[in-house]
Amino acid sequence: MSAPEFDRQAAERRLGPAVLADIRRLVDEAPPLSTEQLENLRSMFASARAAAAVQPTSARAA
């Protein structure tokens, strides 16, 4: 199963300016990620890229 391509502008239109302002405020107030958290995120995205690279194109489009 494949998710549709993410459209940031469409998502921002759906959420609206008030929600986006709240999100930006919360992100600004959040503490920085630890080294361990950053490494976990890097690892997760690297494995997702590797999995997508070996998956046949027809399976990604399904």
Side-chain angles (χ1 to χ4, degrees):
M1 178 172 21
S2 178
E5 190 71 26
F6 179 72
D7 183 345
R8 182 178 180 154
Q9 290 177 334
E12 288 179 355
R13 282 191 303 273
R14 280 192 303 273
L15 292 172
V19 172
L20 291 175
D22 284 343
I23 291 169
R24 288 185 179 103
R25 180 186 51 78
L26 290 169
V27 168
D28 289 343
E29 293 173 357
L33 296 173
S34 70
T35 302
E36 181 180 2
Q37 290 169 317
L38 287 171
E39 288 303 315
N40 285 336
L41 287 170
R42 286 185 185 114
S43 174
M44 178 187 62
F45 282 104
S47 65
R49 278 191 298 274
V54 297
Q55 186 178 31
T57 305
S58 60
R60 278 187 254 159

